Amino acid sequence: MFGEVFEEELGRESVFRDASKLSPDYVPPMLVHREEEFRQLTRIFRSVIENKMSQHVLITGSVGVGKTALARRFGEELEPRAKGRGVNLTYLHINCRKDKTPYSVLAKLVQHHNPRWPYHGLGPEKLLDMVVTYLNSHDAYLALILDELDYFVQLNGPDLLYSLTRAAEESGAPNRISIIAIARDKNFLRFLDAATQSTFMHNVLPLDRYTAPQLKDILNQRVGEAFKTGAVEDETVEMIAEIASRWGDARFALELLWRAGMTVDGEGKDMVTPEYVRQAKAEVYPEVKREVLRELQLHEKLALLAIARKLRASKQAYALTEDVEKSYHVVCEEYREEPRAHTQFWEYIKRMEGLGLIDFKPSRSRHRRRSLKVSIQEIPVTWLEKEMEKLLEGRKS
Ligand SMILES: Nc1ncnc2c1ncn2[C@@H]1O[C@H](COP(=O)(O)OP(=O)(O)O)[C@@H](O)[C@H]1O
Ligand SMILES: [Mg+2]
């Protein structure tokens, strides 16, 4: 019986030509509306290829503006062109939210150069040393993409970045490691020493959120790759572009398109119309967020509930972090949890900003303490409050 089901499903017509072209990991050969940024990267890396000088650059921007795609595309193009000019350069992309300790980042570096190297039990300095020695002895160069680096630095401090940018200093040899850092914004740079800060400050590449017409172009390019000809109505693309332009987020746009297509297939229809976008939007949105919320640690949940309540009660767009922290203490009392110390509380808040759950705005506030305002822009706070209470249910004694 399952055999029949299998055959039936495989025999079914699909609107997709190749749905994998909509996956968030796929990097298209051409990034529309990022030509200028690509050009800037090329200019910066010119001296790596021509003068073998290392360069550091920081790409910033909110979720889905193409930071990862741009850096990876650039790495793909850079490698063969450097080789063609006699420079033995490779690139390596590391997502520092996945490899979140200095050790695992360095282990990736070691493995990249020699997968068979035994590196277990060695300390971070030794690992970096191995890489530098390798680069020197093979006359090789590395373009290292450190993605979501802000998250990493907040977690681990500046030491790894410090050592990477000075990897060759002691030996007197040229630094063979260039870094393409990726972060939501420049704020994390203040955790670095002045010298490292300034090497990045020279080359900051901010990516703006996409406008609706830009998203439309991005979607249209992908429609051609992923769907059969004529399967997606123009109005569908326009509607998705319009929705996603609120955040300027190409990832969200592509996900809506993918989901809409999946539903059309599921219903055995042959045309992706705007109605399927409405459905996709209704599904994706709370689902994606719920998943993120469920995975928060207990005190992150408590802090988020505190923020939601504070914002609901004040009816303001932003709340001062000091006030949020007070509200957090009240919530902890309610759930009979010992509130965490101020610095720990900060870590939670910053992590949630990294996850895109809350937003920061610098504030000229009452105290000189690093002060920020917190906001929740993407989720209705009343909905969030209820969700958090549900997730924390059973915690209250
Ligand atoms: N200019 C663009 N042209 C085509 N696709 C893009 C463009 N910018 C982003 N994308 C696609 O949108 C999705 C999100 O981009 P990504 O680079 O992951 O964003 P970020 O790293 O800034 O969160 C990816 O699937 C990416 O391929
Ligand atoms: Mg990214």
Side-chain angles (χ1 to χ4, degrees), residues 172-191:
N175 191 350
R176 294 167 178 274
I177 303 177
S178 291
I179 297 175
I180 301 177
I182 300 179
R184 301 232 313 173
D185 54 44
K186 304 190 287 196
N187 285 340
F188 81 99
L189 287 176
R190 63 199 152 92
F191 293 111

Side-chain angles (χ1 to χ4, degrees), residues 24 26 28 31-32 64-69 210 218 221-222 250-251 254:
Y26 170 70
L31 295 171
V32 248
V65 295
K67 302 183 294 298
T68 303
Y210 292 116
I218 291 171
Q221 176 208 42
R222 217 60 82 84
R251 183 180 314 172
L254 292 167

Side-chain angles (χ1 to χ4, degrees), residues 62-64 66-69 93 95 147-148 182 251:
S62 59
V63 176
K67 302 183 294 298
T68 303
H93 174 259
N95 184 328
D147 206 339
E148 315 223 33
I182 300 179
R251 183 180 314 172

Side-chain angles (χ1 to χ4, degrees), residues 114-314:
N114 189 344
R116 285 192 303 275
W117 251 338
Y119 61 85
H120 294 283
L122 300 175
E125 296 85 14
K126 181 66 195 154
L127 295 184
L128 183 56
D129 214 45
M130 281 161 81
V131 173
V132 171
T133 308
Y134 178 98
L135 293 173
N136 283 333
S137 62
H138 289 75
D139 194 18
Y141 294 82
L142 177 68
L144 178 60
I145 303 170
L146 294 175
D147 206 339
E148 315 223 33
L149 182 61
D150 42 355
Y151 177 82
F152 182 93
V153 168
Q154 280 161 9
L155 212 63
N156 300 294
D159 295 356
L160 178 69
L161 211 51
Y162 182 88
S163 341
L164 282 172
T165 50
R166 287 168 185 73
E169 226 160 53
E170 275 160 36
S171 64
N175 191 350
R176 294 167 178 274
I177 303 177
S178 291
I179 297 175
I180 301 177
I182 300 179
R184 301 232 313 173
D185 54 44
K186 304 190 287 196
N187 285 340
F188 81 99
L189 287 176
R190 63 199 152 92
F191 293 111
L192 310 178
D193 64 291
T196 317
Q197 254 184 46
S198 79
T199 62
F200 284 102
M201 280 301 203
H202 285 305
N203 294 322
V204 181
L205 214 63
L207 305 189
D208 288 334
R209 292 168 191 239
Y210 292 116
T211 61
Q214 288 176 330
L215 287 168
K216 208 176 130 187
D217 293 338
I218 291 171
L219 286 163
N220 274 327
Q221 176 208 42
R222 217 60 82 84
V223 164
E225 287 186 77
F227 287 90
K228 289 185 182 151
T229 315
V232 182
E233 281 182 2
D234 282 350
E235 270 189 40
T236 305
V237 170
E238 237 154 77
M239 185 172 179
I240 296 177
E242 200 53 53
I243 294 171
S245 70
R246 218 184 121 199
W247 302 280
D249 180 346
R251 183 180 314 172
F252 184 49
L254 292 167
E255 182 173 0
L256 283 180
L257 182 60
W258 175 76
R259 282 205 181 234
M262 292 300 280
T263 315
V264 174
D265 270 5
E267 293 184 5
K269 299 280 170 40
D270 56 7
M271 193 71 172
V272 189
T273 60
E275 181 56 17
Y276 289 99
V277 178
R278 292 188 194 102
Q279 277 185 38
K281 191 190 166 211
E283 274 169 31
V284 172
Y285 198 60
E287 242 176 59
V288 171
K289 293 292 171 190
R290 268 200 197 107
E291 204 169 290
V292 178
L293 297 177
R294 211 175 299 127
E295 284 170 8
L296 294 175
Q297 299 167 34
L298 172 62
H299 278 264
E300 289 170 338
K301 287 183 184 138
L302 294 168
L304 193 57
L305 175 58
I307 296 169
R309 284 190 179 166
K310 184 80 219 162
L311 288 169
R312 179 181 50 77
S314 73

